[in-house]
Amino acid sequence: MPDIPTHLFTTCQVGAEGALKAELGRTWPGFRFAFSRPGFVTFKLPNACGLADDFDLRSVFARTYGFCLGKIEGENAEQMADELWALVGDRPVDVLHVWQRDAALPGEGDFEPGRTTLADEMGTIIVSRRREAGPKPSPLDVNRRAHQGEAVLDCVLVEPNQWWIGRHRAASFHSRWPGGVCQIELPPEVVSRAYLKTAEALHWSQLPIQAGDRVVELGAAPGGSCQALLDRGLIVTGVDPAEMDESVLEHPDFTHLQMRSVEVRRRDFRDVRWLISDISAAPAYTLDAVEAIVTHEAVNIRGMLLTLKLSNWGLADEIRSYVSRVRGWGFEYVRVRQLAFNRREMCLAAMRSRSMRRGQKRPSRARSPR
Ligand SMILES: C[S@@+](CC[C@H](N)C(=O)[O-])C[C@H]1O[C@@H](n2cnc3c(N)ncnc32)[C@H](O)[C@@H]1O
């Protein structure tokens, strides 16, 4: 029997459900909104939609997504795990991803998205209840990063006693991580949580940044993001009228220009290859500031990571105009995503040309450490 999906599940940041619904309503008018909880939204798919299990949803707000197999409710995890395997049937499974929908906005209180003890414990129970035909069942990994092309079984703990089961095939960067949240190794002392979002942005965007390259960050204080860039061996200039953390200031590859971005002389950007912006202002202000730099004839920025603040969700409707504005500056390859470690904001990644992405053929030079 062909495995025809009827519903799609998506997970997103708490509060982003409306923006996600509106976005998919535009891109996929045949999808019908079905069920939602904060951070979790499902859609009924049109009949025989013919979508492949690694299709690209082209979504800014969906962290990850897959086809629904069903919902399980109960009080006993072992029994729920048995029901899960009954739903899975004889579908192939290479790796199991179990995660809880977000409990809060990233950075609120101590909350950060990602692995939880409960999800890991449920994963262990689910694997222990797997019965496979044959004398030697193959081991099943829980919550490791899937390899491209692997069949992922998704178990979303929408509530501890309500699991939504789904499946997808690992393809894009985020689809390989449980719940679309990549694991970032943090240094012992992190200056600010912006470390997380810049590290995630660097992984996701595939900007071919190499150790020794010069990068400028607008809106750099107190410096978590600069710390992530310095950890990659970059030569970093932070532009911000506010104070930088001492540990960043002390780094030999860091320079602080204690001023607003409009006050920086254009020639100070001459040898800079990459631009990061995390200015606490509306997207229009950030884009004006960036445009004034990257369109200057003495400047040759090859790629950018811009954090665009969503002070209201209505700004999500402007994404297409932001993208075309950045393309108009000569950046051929532009993508936007609400990263797992973004707060009420999203990340715009831009490159002069698509062929620059990491992993594409280019002249040999040592790669930056990953
Ligand atoms: C979200 S914080 C940046 C966090 C920082 N990226 C980190 O890694 O810790 C926003 C910063 O934007 C700065 N800012 C606001 N307007 C600016 C401007 N016109 N030029 C440069 N920085 C600006 C603020 O002073 C503030 O420190």
Side-chain angles (χ1 to χ4, degrees):
M1 275 252 300
D3 197 358
I4 299 170
T6 62
H7 286 77
L8 184 85
F9 76 84
T10 59
T11 53
C12 64
Q13 183 183 98
V14 168
E17 305 82 23
L20 172 62
K21 273 190 256 176
E23 176 188 41
L24 295 203
R26 279 190 296 268
T27 324
W28 304 92
F31 290 13
R32 293 280 167 263
F33 165 64
F35 169 86
S36 129
R37 298 284 297 129
F40 181 79
V41 187
T42 71
F43 296 86
K44 180 161 177 13
L45 298 168
N47 289 338
C49 60
L51 292 168
D53 52 9
D54 59 355
F55 85 103
D56 182 0
L57 188 61
R58 305 194 303 278
S59 170
V60 171
F61 295 102
R63 264 189 214 157
T64 195
Y65 54 92
F67 297 135
C68 291
L69 297 178
K71 177 177 85 167
I72 297 169
E73 284 177 299
E75 298 302 329
N76 179 303
E78 282 76 14
Q79 270 173 22
M80 291 171 82
D82 292 343
E83 285 180 48
L84 174 149
W85 288 116
L87 278 178
V88 174
D90 56 8
R91 292 179 178 88
V93 178
D94 297 316
V95 57
L96 171 66
H97 284 175
V98 188
W99 72 96
Q100 290 184 266
R101 71 181 167 88
D102 280 10
L105 187 67
E108 199 173 73
D110 281 342
F111 178 76
E112 291 297 350
R115 284 177 83 153
T116 59
T117 311
L118 178 71
D120 283 347
E121 282 171 8
M122 294 306 108
T124 307
I125 292 173
I126 292 167
V127 169
S128 73
R129 306 294 289 189
R130 189 184 191 206
R131 303 276 172 268
E132 264 198 323
K136 259 197 167 179
S138 50
L140 183 60
D141 292 331
V142 185
N143 286 347
R144 73 158 161 79
R145 185 167 72 138
H147 303 298
Q148 207 150 5
E150 280 189 320
V152 182
L153 175 61
D154 297 297
C155 176
V156 194
L157 311 183
V158 174
E159 307 292 346
N161 61 353
Q162 185 189 106
W163 301 355
W164 283 71
I165 315 306
R167 64 182 175 89
H168 73 276
R169 195 163 291 281
S172 64
F173 170 76
H174 283 95
S175 74
R176 295 170 61 187
W177 289 96
V181 183
C182 63
Q183 215 171 318
I184 309 276
E185 271 179 45
L186 288 175
E189 301 289 336
V190 184
V191 170
S192 71
R193 66 175 303 283
Y195 188 104
L196 290 166
K197 70 180 179 190
T198 291
E200 183 183 3
L202 290 169
H203 286 305
W204 160 68
S205 64
Q206 294 183 287
L207 290 190
I209 296 182
Q210 300 178 357
D213 283 355
R214 286 185 185 275
V215 56
V216 166
E217 177 168 23
L218 311 175
S225 167
C226 288
Q227 190 184 14
L229 298 166
L230 291 163
D231 281 356
R232 288 191 165 223
L234 296 165
I235 300 168
V236 182
T237 300
V239 178
D240 201 308
E243 297 293 332
M244 297 295 300
D245 187 89
E246 245 349 275
S247 64
V248 177
L249 284 175
E250 278 167 6
H251 197 292
D253 291 333
F254 181 77
T255 307
H256 185 197
L257 299 179
Q258 193 161 14
M259 56 185 75
R260 294 185 311 135
S261 58
V262 283
E263 295 163 324
V264 183
R265 291 167 310 184
R266 295 300 167 256
R267 64 170 185 270
D268 287 338
F269 290 100
R270 216 175 15 224
D271 298 323
V272 175
R273 290 292 159 265
W274 312 104
L275 185 71
I276 314 278
S277 172
D278 191 18
I279 295 176
S280 48
Y285 182 97
T286 295
L287 293 174
D288 286 349
V290 171
E291 178 174 20
I293 296 163
V294 299
T295 58
H296 192 276
E297 57 183 14
V299 177
N300 181 19
I301 299 286
R302 298 173 66 200
M304 314 186 282
L305 294 172
L306 312 181
T307 298
L308 300 177
K309 308 282 173 184
L310 289 163
S311 46
N312 67 76
W313 285 109
L315 292 172
D317 297 337
E318 305 298 321
I319 293 171
R320 272 184 291 192
S321 73
Y322 301 149
V323 169
S324 44
R325 187 167 172 195
V326 173
R327 285 215 175 100
W329 306 336
F331 290 85
E332 195 184 287
Y333 185 66
V334 183
R335 292 194 301 159
V336 182
R337 182 174 175 92
Q338 183 165 55
L339 301 172
F341 294 108
N342 275 149
R343 284 170 59 81
R344 286 280 143 78
E345 56 198 12
M346 53 197 180
C347 178
L348 182 149
M351 268 178 267
R352 287 280 175 200
S353 83
R354 195 184 175 88
S355 60
M356 283 170 57
R357 283 178 308 162
R358 261 201 318 267
Q360 314 287 314
K361 278 210 161 127
R362 59 201 178 86
S364 60
R365 215 180 126 188
R367 284 182 166 217
S368 58
R370 294 220 36 200

